[in-house]
Amino acid sequence: MPPPADIVKVAIEWPGAYPKLMEIDQKKPLSAIIKEVCDGWSLPNHEYYALQHADSSNFYITEKKKKKKKKGKKNRNEIKNGTILRLTKSPAQNAQQLHERIQSSSMDAKLEALKDLASLSRDVTFAQEFINLDGISLLTQMVESGTERYQKLQKIMKPCFGDMLSFTLTAFVELMDHGIVSWDTFSVAFIKKIASFVNKSAIDISILQRSLAILESMVLNSHDLYQKVAQEITIGQLIPHLQGSDQEIQTYTIAVINALFLKAPDDRRQEMANILAQKQLRSIILTHVIRAQRAINNEMAHQLYVLQVLTFNLLEDRMMTKMDPQDQAQRDIIFELRRIAFDAESEPNNSSGSMEKRKSMYTRDYKKLGFINHVNPAMDFTQTPPGMLALDNMLYFAKHHQDAYIRIVLENSSREDKHECPFGRSSIELTKMLCEILKVGELPSETCNDFHPMFFTHDRSFEEFFCICIQLLNKTWKEMRATSEDFNKVMQVVKEQVMRALTTKPSSLDQFKSKLQNLSYTEILKIRQSERMNQEDFQSRPILELKEKIQPEILELIKQQRLNRLVEGTCFRKLNARRRQDKFWYCRLSPNHKVLHYGDLEESPQGEVPHDSLQDKHIKAVVTGKDCPHMKEKGALKQNKEVLELAFSILYDSNCQLNFIAPDKHEVRVSGGIICERM
């Protein structure tokens, strides 16, 4: 007869004693269980003790609460048969003792206490107790005032000083990561001190890493702190950290730059972009990060993607600016396009007869340039997007690729009207299309790593991107022997060519151009035909009859394969307020398909994680997208559509849930879908 569901068999350790094998009744209060354990070892004052997991996490066991589980909190109902627990001091006792120990006059004792604090601060139960003792203020005071005293001893005890400060900052980061204390509470002195660690030319790597993480969190979580951090940290002071060989430091440095960029007021972003250009940030990232002799990890890829998006978002203002037909400076740009194309050597005189001649000549030339409104081309740029950005691109192409510009204009002006590729109209529509492809004006996704190395190879990468694509468009137009009625069809082909070339992640703009050369209209037709044939092969009557006959068996195989995938499990990354993905957790389905096993991990696992190292929960329901409790709490519904599509929660008893951010949409369908089928 199986044991009652509320009884779990565990082992409990106590230093200096043999472990006890016990049966825990989950219906009994946790305090009663702890008292029973203490009585077994004749330990008085059971209220001073607690149970914690004996794994590397050392998280405390707590009574079950009907609210969202916070990081580091493992409640008692997650204990399963075979779990190894440890009897230890209660969180309140540990917090009180560590609060006193880190103020010890003995440097060795202080160092050991800070090391313990850095480890225990990952647990939210302990963190709450330590914070209640005003522990955050104590740590900030130690950073503000204590470092001067320690620096005097740095020459004779440098390793001790570095470790002490590193553990202090680590504990601070972990405590703040729980979201219990507001970032707005910190003084200017503390910000200056953290900034000073970043500004130093020689500083311990661990101290630098944690200081950068703190600055990033300050900027992202508080507008007031953004102002203060921006005054203390300059791009010039961050650049040297990108020129080192430590990718983690480079990642944190770019994260700080991104945070400053993201939170900067609109009128400051362009100024900041100019500073980044002056400091040759793009060139430094290309040399020391992208082309360094090592693989780029996921977090670095994400930060490069964010920087790419924020850089392109600077184009949004021009993209959404309509041309003012009465603005002479803007009209002069159109005149310059005409001048470069047709090289007017002299202007007619101002007589009334020559005025009519001039208007007629301009109208003719504007038609050759491919504008829709031949009389007043300025009207072509009143639609947003792409607004004035299209005119900017045309002028850049005319000035920096003059031969190609003149060739395209003259080629088309010599064709029959119905076969000419209208340069003006094409440029406007192409600019709009490229903005859509690069999602100009959208906030960066929290989960995307899709950066393109080629955009880091040129200071005017978007303009160069346009120049390559406008020449592609003209080439494709000729290959298709298109007429004006085929304009939209040509644009669709060009978009497909560009998208297919981008998926190969070319390392340079020249390589991108080479990829496009291999994607001619003929090649696109072949690819489409191949894809169509693959689809049509499965639509013949014999195939459909066979499909209907074997479909039940196939569906069962698919279902079994998905179940096997869930039993194998998946490693998920955790999202938090400080960093996007610096924690891991693993979830897998039990072999009997009734229980989910899950647990936190220190690092991404190599292979499967055993069931016995994870907790378990019975499934109650699965919710996805906008109904996901995790997303409602995170506010993702307002901020990030992509994250919203990847989110789902698995509900279990008493209104508790496991929250997931899937690696991709396929994982959402597999994990969420098959679990729904099992319910």
Side-chain angles (χ1 to χ4, degrees):
M1 184 176 178
D6 294 319
I7 302 297
V8 290
K9 297 180 179 180
V10 300
I12 301 179
E13 299 176 343
W14 173 250
Y18 289 108
K20 285 180 176 292
L21 297 178
M22 289 188 62
E23 290 187 350
I24 292 180
D25 185 351
Q26 293 285 43
K27 292 181 179 179
K28 293 176 62 175
L30 184 59
S31 59
I33 296 172
I34 294 173
K35 184 177 187 306
E36 182 181 345
V37 174
C38 290
D39 290 345
W41 275 309
S42 301
L43 297 173
N45 303 320
H46 72 276
E47 62 273 12
Y48 294 159
Y49 295 91
L51 291 173
Q52 65 180 183
H53 285 270
D55 56 19
S56 58
S57 70
N58 293 327
F59 290 149
Y60 281 100
I61 304 299
T62 60
E63 287 285 9
K64 187 175 181 182
K65 295 186 179 181
K66 296 182 180 180
K67 64 179 181 179
K68 177 180 176 290
K69 187 181 73 172
K70 294 184 179 180
K71 186 195 94 168
K73 194 160 192 172
K74 297 194 173 185
N75 67 57
R76 59 176 297 180
N77 281 9
E78 295 170 353
I79 301 172
K80 61 179 181 176
N81 287 321
T83 299
I84 301 177
L85 304 177
R86 181 187 300 116
L87 184 67
T88 186
K89 297 173 187 174
S90 69
Q93 286 287 304
N94 248 336
Q96 182 64 51
Q97 292 179 13
L98 280 175
H99 192 273
E100 296 170 359
R101 287 170 57 200
I102 62 175
Q103 301 180 72
S104 171
S105 58
S106 167
M107 300 298 281
D108 290 337
K110 185 189 289 284
L111 177 62
E112 194 63 30
L114 288 169
K115 182 178 179 180
D116 291 343
L117 179 62
S119 176
L120 284 169
S121 294
R122 294 165 51 243
D123 184 283
V124 68
T125 308
F126 169 84
Q128 185 68 69
E129 296 291 346
F130 188 78
I131 290 171
N132 289 343
L133 296 173
D134 210 16
I136 293 285
S137 296
L138 177 58
L139 292 179
T140 56
Q141 290 169 15
M142 291 172 63
V143 173
E144 290 174 24
S145 59
T147 50
E148 283 82 359
R149 181 164 59 88
Y150 299 143
Q151 284 172 335
K152 294 177 182 178
L153 304 173
Q154 191 172 1
K155 291 184 179 180
I156 59 174
M157 52 182 303
K158 185 174 181 180
C160 179
F161 165 75
D163 290 344
M164 191 175 298
L165 184 54
S166 175
F167 288 135
T168 303
L169 295 177
T170 300
F172 175 84
V173 169
E174 294 291 352
L175 290 168
M176 290 302 299
D177 202 21
H178 295 294
I180 300 170
V181 179
S182 169
W183 283 93
D184 288 311
T185 59
F186 299 107
S187 66
V188 174
F190 180 70
I191 298 170
K192 287 179 178 291
K193 185 59 65 176
I194 297 298
S196 71
F197 300 143
V198 174
N199 294 337
K200 284 184 179 178
S201 56
I203 191 72
D204 183 87
I205 291 294
S206 62
I207 295 173
L208 176 59
Q209 180 195 92
R210 286 151 182 78
S211 298
L212 288 167
I214 292 170
L215 291 178
E216 181 198 6
S217 292
M218 286 179 172
V219 172
L220 291 177
N221 290 286
S222 170
H223 176 72
D224 290 340
L225 290 187
Y226 157 76
Q227 303 282 359
K228 296 171 184 176
V229 171
Q231 292 173 4
E232 298 298 327
I233 294 289
T234 66
I235 300 301
Q237 292 164 330
L238 292 171
I239 291 295
H241 300 313
L242 292 173
Q243 296 172 314
S245 58
D246 190 306
Q247 187 171 124
E248 196 164 6
I249 293 299
Q250 292 174 325
T251 302
Y252 276 82
T253 302
I254 296 177
V256 172
I257 293 173
N258 286 339
L260 290 168
F261 215 146
L262 186 63
K263 294 299 181 179
D266 292 342
D267 58 344
R268 279 274 299 144
R269 285 183 186 172
Q270 188 59 57
E271 180 184 342
M272 186 174 176
N274 295 336
I275 295 173
L276 295 178
Q278 292 172 8
K279 298 297 182 180
Q280 299 183 323
L281 176 70
R282 177 199 59 77
S283 178
I284 290 170
I285 289 176
L286 181 66
T287 302
H288 296 278
V289 178
I290 296 176
R291 292 181 176 172
Q293 298 301 312
R294 61 175 180 269
I296 293 178
N297 61 35
N298 287 336
E299 179 63 18
M300 174 60 85
H302 172 71
Q303 295 300 340
L304 291 173
Y305 152 78
V306 172
L307 181 59
Q308 172 185 292
V309 171
L310 294 176
T311 302
F312 284 144
N313 279 356
L314 293 171
L315 303 170
E316 183 182 12
D317 182 57
R318 294 293 283 174
M319 181 182 77
M320 300 307 295
T321 299
K322 296 181 180 181
M323 185 172 184
D324 181 0
Q326 306 305 317
D327 189 315
Q328 188 58 44
Q330 295 179 2
R331 293 171 61 87
D332 286 344
I333 299 176
I334 298 177
F335 294 153
E336 182 68 3
L337 289 173
R338 177 194 165 277
R339 185 197 67 78
I340 295 173
F342 303 111
D343 194 24
E345 295 181 356
S346 60
E347 293 292 334
N349 58 41
N350 293 325
S351 66
S352 60
S354 62
M355 181 67 71
E356 292 297 322
K357 183 179 179 181
R358 181 193 302 179
K359 287 183 178 180
S360 176
M361 180 179 63
Y362 279 9
T363 299
R364 182 195 66 209
D365 290 346
Y366 290 148
K367 182 179 180 181
K368 290 180 180 179
L369 280 171
F371 290 112
I372 296 174
N373 192 315
H374 307 153
V375 177
N376 186 6
M379 299 303 296
D380 286 15
F381 301 95
T382 56
Q383 179 184 356
T384 59
M388 287 295 292
L389 184 60
L391 188 58
D392 295 342
N393 283 339
M394 294 168 70
L395 183 62
Y396 182 90
F397 181 51
K399 286 189 171 183
H400 293 84
H401 300 270
Q402 193 170 111
D403 291 344
Y405 167 70
I406 293 173
R407 184 181 69 252
I408 287 176
V409 173
L410 294 183
E411 273 183 5
N412 287 287
S413 62
S414 63
R415 294 177 188 164
E416 296 180 21
D417 283 353
K418 67 176 184 177
H419 284 290
E420 68 178 10
C421 177
F423 174 73
R425 181 185 176 190
S426 298
S427 297
I428 292 169
E429 290 302 317
L430 179 64
T431 300
K432 182 179 179 180
M433 184 185 79
L434 297 182
C435 288
E436 290 173 354
I437 290 174
L438 298 177
K439 300 181 179 179
V440 175
E442 295 186 20
L443 287 173
S445 162
E446 293 181 2
T447 60
C448 185
N449 301 332
D450 189 25
F451 84 97
H452 294 277
M454 73 177 194
F455 292 131
F456 290 85
T457 63
H458 201 285
D459 289 330
R460 304 289 294 275
S461 60
F462 183 81
E463 289 88 342
E464 289 293 324
F465 186 40
F466 168 84
C467 293
I468 293 171
C469 293
I470 192 64
Q471 294 177 75
L472 168 72
L473 193 155
N474 189 66
K475 172 175 171 286
T476 301
W477 184 282
K478 290 188 290 184
E479 291 173 349
M480 294 176 66
R481 298 179 182 178
T483 64
S484 55
E485 288 80 11
D486 300 319
F487 186 87
N488 291 334
K489 181 180 177 182
V490 174
M491 293 303 298
Q492 290 173 1
V493 173
V494 170
K495 183 173 184 178
E496 185 174 347
Q497 291 170 315
V498 172
M499 294 292 287
R500 289 185 183 275
L502 284 177
T503 57
T504 66
K505 293 295 181 72
S507 60
S508 67
L509 290 164
D510 285 339
Q511 194 176 97
F512 173 68
K513 188 187 298 185
S514 177
K515 296 286 185 184
L516 291 175
Q517 290 294 327
N518 296 327
L519 285 170
S520 64
Y521 177 58
T522 303
E523 184 63 25
I524 291 295
L525 288 179
K526 289 180 181 178
I527 293 172
R528 288 179 174 180
Q529 180 66 16
S530 175
E531 292 174 348
R532 191 180 302 115
M533 289 295 293
N534 289 337
Q535 292 176 355
E536 290 175 354
D537 285 345
F538 292 97
Q539 300 303 316
S540 62
R541 183 173 178 179
I543 293 295
L544 291 175
E545 290 176 353
L546 179 61
K547 180 179 177 182
E548 184 178 357
K549 183 177 180 180
I550 65 175
Q551 189 173 31
E553 183 180 350
I554 291 175
L555 290 177
E556 184 60 33
L557 286 172
I558 292 172
K559 185 175 180 180
Q560 191 58 49
Q561 189 274 336
R562 289 182 173 181
L563 283 169
N564 291 341
R565 178 71 180 87
L566 291 177
V567 171
E568 178 186 336
T570 300
C571 179
F572 295 90
R573 292 183 179 273
K574 285 191 171 184
L575 295 181
N576 56 55
R578 177 172 55 89
R579 296 205 55 75
R580 184 180 68 98
Q581 45 182 5
D582 59 349
K583 302 291 181 183
F584 298 88
W585 70 295
Y586 199 88
C587 189
R588 63 184 300 184
L589 190 65
S590 64
N592 64 6
H593 306 159
K594 294 179 184 281
V595 175
L596 282 178
H597 298 271
Y598 66 96
D600 294 331
L601 302 174
E602 290 299 312
E603 57 185 17
S604 183
Q606 303 298 319
E608 294 184 16
V609 177
H611 290 96
D612 55 10
S613 64
L614 304 171
Q615 294 79 49
D616 58 19
K617 275 293 164 216
H618 289 276
I619 309 163
K620 180 180 178 184
V622 178
V623 289
T624 60
K626 66 180 182 180
D627 297 318
C628 172
H630 182 49
M631 288 297 100
K632 288 180 178 178
E633 293 180 18
K634 289 283 186 182
L637 188 59
K638 295 181 179 178
Q639 297 187 18
N640 201 310
K641 182 179 178 182
E642 184 173 346
V643 174
L644 187 65
E645 293 174 346
L646 299 178
F648 65 97
S649 291
I650 296 177
L651 306 184
Y652 55 89
D653 42 19
S654 300
N655 298 322
C656 294
Q657 70 263 353
L658 298 176
N659 300 313
F660 298 80
I661 301 293
D664 50 52
K665 294 180 182 178
H666 172 75
E667 195 68 41
V668 174
R669 290 193 297 271
V670 172
S671 300
I674 195 65
I675 290 172
C676 286
E677 292 177 14
R678 296 302 302 170
M679 287 168 46

